Amino acid sequence: MLPPANSGPDMGAWFAPLFSAILILIFIPIAILQWLAGLFITLTGLSFLYVKLIERQLIVERADQAPRTFRLAETPIRIRISNPLPVPLPYILISDESGGMTSLDPMVAVLSLEAGETGYLEYRVKSERRGRFVLGPGAVVFSDPLGLFRRQIPVSAPTELLVLPRVYPLGIPITRGLPIGAIQTANRLYEDPGRYRSMRDYVPGDDPRQIHWKASARTGSLQVMEYASTLSAPAVVVLNIHADAYTHGRKFQHFERCIEAAASLCSFYDSLDQEVALVINSSDPLLISRGKNQVPVMLEALAALEAPREDAADITAVMGSFRYSMADRITLVSPAIPMEQYEYIAASLPVSSEFEFWLLQDRQRRDGHVQHGMKPSLNRHRIVSLEEYGEDLLAR
């Protein structure tokens, strides 16, 4: 524990000697005693001015503003302290608070700063939970060289650290979508005329419009331009946070796993340069409209979720009200839901869209609910098992 703000030694530690020195200077006409008393009074005054000057001019600030990190990741935290004065500061004690996170290093340091020098308190924190954490309040304690006056000043206002959900690598094969996009495919139905690949001999059935007449005249045989095949696969990720879907025994573990799956999906599609939308059925449904390079916003929204909600909106109504585009890849991440609810959702989605239900594995089997291993009636629909624990999200 640090001493209270602006605290110092007991007043008698310096006031009584100072008062005695003043009395000697005034009432005892002995030169050597008066000289010593005057020296002590001068040093005390200079020490007080030194402390006040440092207190006014010392710069203490956090070097990392609004930091972001991931669950279970080691995150460096730094507090910068600068001495802009032309006098040294021989002793500084600086400390901080981790805000409930696990500290991997000491959160206190003793520094000595020369004139114009800058020093740091550096430590690492790690959190096993995602969410919002507040670092601080930190404090800096220092004194004059004689140790007569001690002061404590706070570090700048506590800083919020947002711990994002863990993101797992995914290798989802994408073979269908809209022509002309960012995803490479071997299907020649998705040839992109803007991405020339090579020239080859003409074979019956080739589009005559792709014949390169100049190359054909030069080689004496028909030559056809071949293009790279690419497709576009816009995605919609839907996360069900209704409390009724989560069993009580492992509610929070399952809730965290579903959040990690939604975060991994958003990151995966964004890495393929696809447009992604995120839908969460909170009491006031959260929608992050489709777009590219929105993963930071999506991860922050997922990190802010605290627990399954009793007042969450019905997932059927939320998915039914969303406007889908052609060839959307729709993924619902949720524990088991009633079979009739699943069938209603599947029937309400556009015919041209692909639908995957990432069903969280659960040891508790619930009658009348969607079960693992079920085969949907449509080829474009799939039920995928989401692992309950482990480093792999999807069941092998």
Side-chain angles (χ1 to χ4, degrees):
M1 289 290 292
L2 290 176
N6 292 333
S7 66
D10 184 10
M11 183 178 291
W14 59 269
F15 181 76
L18 179 63
F19 184 72
S20 300
I22 294 174
L23 292 179
I24 291 173
L25 188 65
I26 296 175
F27 298 108
I28 300 179
I30 300 176
I32 185 63
L33 293 179
Q34 289 183 329
W35 184 87
L36 291 174
L39 178 62
F40 179 78
I41 293 172
T42 301
L43 290 177
T44 302
L46 291 176
S47 295
F48 180 78
L49 292 177
Y50 173 89
V51 167
K52 296 301 290 184
L53 184 63
I54 293 293
E55 188 176 17
R56 289 175 177 269
Q57 299 298 322
L58 195 66
I59 301 173
V60 184
E61 57 189 353
R62 294 188 181 274
D64 308 294
Q65 297 298 322
R68 300 289 184 268
T69 187
F70 287 92
R71 192 172 74 89
L72 300 177
E74 297 181 4
T75 305
I77 303 297
R78 296 188 306 163
I79 297 178
R80 180 169 51 239
I81 180 167
S82 302
N83 177 21
L85 300 174
V87 294
L89 188 54
Y91 168 85
I92 306 172
L93 177 65
I94 180 169
S95 67
D96 199 16
E97 297 290 340
S98 64
M101 303 183 70
T102 302
S103 175
L104 304 178
D105 302 299
M107 301 179 60
V108 61
V110 178
L111 304 177
S112 177
L113 298 180
E114 298 295 332
E117 188 180 3
T118 297
Y120 292 89
L121 166 62
E122 298 181 281
Y123 62 94
R124 297 167 299 152
V125 294
K126 182 176 70 173
S127 175
E128 296 184 357
R129 298 183 296 111
R130 54 160 188 85
R132 299 182 185 276
F133 296 84
V134 177
L135 299 174
V140 175
V141 177
F142 61 93
S143 69
D144 62 282
L146 299 180
L148 297 175
F149 303 97
R150 183 173 58 191
R151 288 293 182 270
Q152 176 179 317
I153 59 177
V155 176
S156 56
T159 297
E160 181 181 272
L161 189 148
L162 188 62
V163 179
L164 306 176
R166 195 173 182 182
V167 174
Y168 293 84
L170 298 175
I172 304 173
I174 299 178
T175 58
R176 299 175 58 178
L178 297 173
I180 306 178
I183 302 175
Q184 298 287 336
T185 178
N187 192 337
R188 292 185 59 189
L189 289 175
Y190 297 101
E191 278 195 337
D192 185 350
R195 296 190 178 185
Y196 172 77
R197 186 174 66 184
S198 63
M199 194 83 66
R200 61 175 174 80
D201 291 335
Y202 175 85
V203 295
D206 284 338
D207 188 345
R209 291 174 296 180
Q210 293 185 348
I211 297 176
H212 195 289
W213 295 107
K214 289 184 178 181
S216 299
R218 186 170 59 252
T219 60
S221 63
L222 290 178
Q223 298 293 308
V224 176
M225 291 182 293
E226 195 170 38
Y227 301 98
S229 297
T230 62
L231 59 83
S232 173
V236 179
V237 179
V238 184
L239 175 62
N240 182 13
I241 65 170
H242 201 293
D244 290 346
Y246 294 84
T247 55
H248 293 286
R250 294 173 296 278
K251 176 185 296 185
F252 293 101
Q253 294 92 329
H254 289 177
F255 186 63
E256 191 67 34
R257 193 62 165 175
C258 287
I259 289 176
E260 291 174 346
S264 301
L265 274 167
C266 293
S267 297
F268 170 73
Y269 285 114
D270 184 76
S271 68
L272 297 178
D273 197 28
Q274 301 303 298
E275 292 188 343
V276 189
L278 175 63
V279 182
I280 303 175
N281 64 326
S282 48
S283 53
D284 183 14
L286 172 65
L287 166 64
I288 299 179
S289 301
R290 69 179 74 249
K292 298 181 180 180
N293 304 318
Q294 296 194 111
V295 168
V297 178
M298 294 177 175
L299 294 183
E300 290 181 9
L302 293 170
L305 298 175
E306 296 181 355
R309 299 289 300 269
E310 296 284 352
D311 61 346
D314 181 72
I315 191 63
T316 308
V318 171
M319 293 189 67
S321 63
F322 186 82
R323 289 189 175 184
Y324 302 97
S325 65
M326 184 179 297
D328 267 340
R329 296 178 60 88
I330 306 162
T331 305
L332 169 61
V333 181
S334 171
I337 59 176
M339 192 63 195
E340 61 271 17
Q341 194 175 29
Y342 168 78
E343 291 175 346
Y344 184 87
I345 291 173
S348 66
L349 298 177
V351 176
S352 59
S353 298
E354 294 196 20
F355 175 48
E356 286 188 350
F357 180 17
W358 281 26
L359 174 60
L360 178 69
Q361 291 184 350
D362 192 351
R363 302 169 196 172
Q364 178 179 337
R365 186 183 181 92
R366 290 185 277 180
D367 294 334
H369 285 60
V370 180
Q371 304 294 340
H372 297 277
M374 294 181 61
K375 300 295 183 183
S377 56
L378 296 179
N379 292 332
R380 295 185 308 278
H381 295 179
R382 286 178 294 276
I383 297 177
V384 180
S385 292
L386 177 61
E387 292 280 11
E388 186 178 17
Y389 303 105
E391 291 298 321
D392 293 326
L393 276 178
L394 305 181
R396 297 298 183 184

